[in-house]
């Protein structure tokens, strides 16, 4: 019998052969995890589950010395774990140190980042669970595909975790009194200040923005009420998509009906909103319901409400104040059961919405930042466009990702969607920085060389991030340091490196 077979048999004995079955099952997990760690060559390994409350349950963990990892939940890339669990086979993420979506809360300034992450989903009921291995060195070439030993160990882990989860679900079930082994390391909530990217889902609306994560969490509660919602943001930031998500999550049975406020003529306002009775005007041969009636038990979206004419604003205000309306030429007062969501592309004093109407629409205000303030979302839109439109999804190299993250996205989501379409149309299976620059129309701007290397592109991205932080802080370097998560000394050193003036306007001559 070979040495590897002896070790495998020892691990299986530990998992199955003991008088104290519950304790034995759980105490075997580190050995089973260690077998995978040695097989793959990972510097760190963890067996983790994602709980409903946003925390990680760490069943066991091992560092390179075989010891338990302190604060193991902080070493988990939330993005890698979520993406890996969506698949039914092991997923290897390479060069993750070049992609900030994979950053963890423990990877602070000056700490070396992992170079690769391997996520192996575990088929258990109740909680998304996976083996999570990573390393700060080299690359992983080992594979567990078609490996019968790996399949056996994985099945044992699945069995142990599944049994434990089912035991917890049984009312009155307790941990055996003689068990000295804890069922798992203490569940650790994902930090209040998480990695730079946190994936949030609200209906069909998805974002990696930490700022939007707070808004979406509040909207989950607001959606269940009848409170009107006022969504503000530049064109292409996803206002209508967010409005549809609110309708989806509201549980309302009726449809979502859209009124494009800027396209309705004054002579048709009453008819479009409230409908008309038969004979109300020439050619009115039948009665016709209005948009409010069509949206009954559903949602009425007032799109581009900042483009409302004064007459339309007056009609909306009268309806919102009373909640009742009458069809044109009708005598019956009808009560509307409709949720109002309004979208505006103009913010603050520049809007022509009358104050009394605004305060009736803005029961809850939701601000959608432009993509230049949430570049991770721009990258997500491009990647989704690439994966949805072709049989063979093009691969974005790290230098291409860095360019997309540093782009200002003046066209917001539409620009990202069109870029993905152009990449698909180009027929390239590998997308590098040169192609991205060409498609963005920057090949002649002098921002980078015609054939940029990854180091040059990352330098460009770092410079742009620093400039934006300084602009957002109005030149206040202390505030910029907090935003960037670096020391003042590091900020000065990097400003000199990128030719950013230490005094005066940071954009002058840069």
């Amino acid at each position: 019998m070979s040495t590897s077979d002896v070790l495998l048999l020892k691990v299986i004995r530990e998992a199955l052969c003991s008088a104290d079955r519950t304790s034995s099952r759980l105490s075997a997990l580190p050995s089973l995890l260690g077998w995978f760690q040695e097989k793959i060559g990972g510097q760190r390994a963890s067996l983790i589950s994602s709980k409903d409350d946003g925390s990680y349950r760490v069943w066991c963990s091992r560092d390179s010395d075989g010891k338990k990892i302190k604060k193991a939940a902080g070493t988990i890339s939330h993005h890698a774990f979520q993406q890996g669990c969506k698949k039914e086979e092991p997923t290897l993420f390479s060069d993750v140190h070049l992609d900030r979506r994979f950053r963890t809360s423990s990877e602070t300034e000056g700490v070396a980042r992992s170079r690769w992450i391997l996520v192996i989903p575990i088929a258990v009921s109740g909680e998304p669970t996976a083996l999570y291995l990573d390393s700060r060195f080299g690359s992983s070439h080992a594979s567990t595909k078609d490996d019968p030993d790996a399949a056996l160990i994985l099945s044992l882990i699945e069995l142990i975790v599944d049994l434990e989860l089912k035991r917890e679900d049984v009312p009155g079930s307790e941990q055996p009194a003689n068990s000295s082994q804890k069922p798992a390391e203490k569940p650790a909530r994902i930090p209040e200040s998480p990695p730079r990217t946190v994936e949030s889902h609200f209906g069909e609306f998805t974002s990696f923005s930490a700022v939007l994560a707070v808004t979406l969490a509040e909207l989950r509660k607001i959606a269940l009420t009848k409170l009107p919602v006022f969504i503000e943001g530049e064109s292409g930031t996803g206002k209508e998509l967010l409005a549809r998500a609110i309708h989806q999550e509201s549980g309302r049975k009726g449809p979502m009906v859209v009124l494009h406020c800027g396209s309705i003529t004054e002579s048709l306002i009453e008819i479009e909103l409230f409908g008309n009775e038969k004979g109300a005007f020439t050619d009115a041969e039948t009665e016709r319901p209005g948009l409010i009636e069509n949206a009954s038990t559903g949602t009425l979206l007032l799109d581009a409400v900042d483009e409302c004419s004064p007459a339309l604003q007056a009609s909306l205000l009268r309806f919102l104040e009373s909640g009742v309306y009458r069809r044109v030429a009708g005598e019956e007062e009808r009560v509307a059961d409709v949720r109002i969501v309004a979208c505006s592309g103009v913010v603050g004093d520049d809007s022509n919405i009358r104050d009394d109407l605004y305060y009736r629409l803005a029961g809850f205000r939701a601000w959608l930042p432009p993509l230049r303030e949430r570049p991770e979302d721009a990258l997500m839109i491009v990647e989704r466009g690439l994966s949805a439109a072709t049989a063979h999804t093009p691969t974005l190299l790290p230098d291409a990702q860095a360019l997309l993250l540093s782009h200002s996205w003046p066209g917001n989501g539409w620009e990202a969607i069109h870029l993905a379409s152009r990449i698909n149309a180009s027929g390239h299976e590998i997308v590098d920085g040169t192609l991205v620059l060409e498609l963005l129309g920057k090949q002649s701007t002098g921002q980078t060389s015609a054939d940029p290397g990854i180091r040059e592109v990352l330098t460009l991205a770092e410079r742009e991030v620093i400039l934006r932080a300084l602009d957002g802080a109005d030149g206040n370097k202390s505030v910029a340091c907090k935003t960037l998560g670096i020391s003042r000394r590091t900020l000065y050193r990097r400003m000199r490196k990128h030719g950013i003036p230490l005094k005066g306007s940071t954009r002058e001559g840069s």
Side-chain angles (χ1 to χ4, degrees), residues 229-294:
V229 178
F230 194 90
I231 305 173
E232 299 172 286
E234 296 178 5
S235 176
T237 51
K239 297 188 293 295
E240 184 170 344
L241 184 62
L242 182 59
R244 292 192 180 278
I246 294 171
H247 173 67
Q248 292 166 0
E249 296 297 309
S250 68
R252 298 184 66 83
K253 297 179 180 179
M256 187 177 92
V257 178
V258 182
L259 169 62
H260 298 281
C261 297
S263 63
I264 185 171
T265 59
E266 291 194 10
S267 60
L268 297 177
I269 289 174
E270 299 280 337
I271 296 173
E272 287 292 324
L273 280 179
F274 308 130
N276 62 268
E277 297 289 357
K278 180 180 179 180
F281 53 87
T282 305
D283 298 329
E285 298 179 354
T286 60
E287 65 178 23
R288 176 178 175 273
L291 295 177
I292 291 175
E293 192 170 342
N294 286 335

Side-chain angles (χ1 to χ4, degrees), residues 125-138:
S125 57
E127 299 176 359
T129 304
L131 294 179
Y132 183 100
L133 301 97
D134 67 357
S135 179
R136 298 189 180 99
F137 308 102

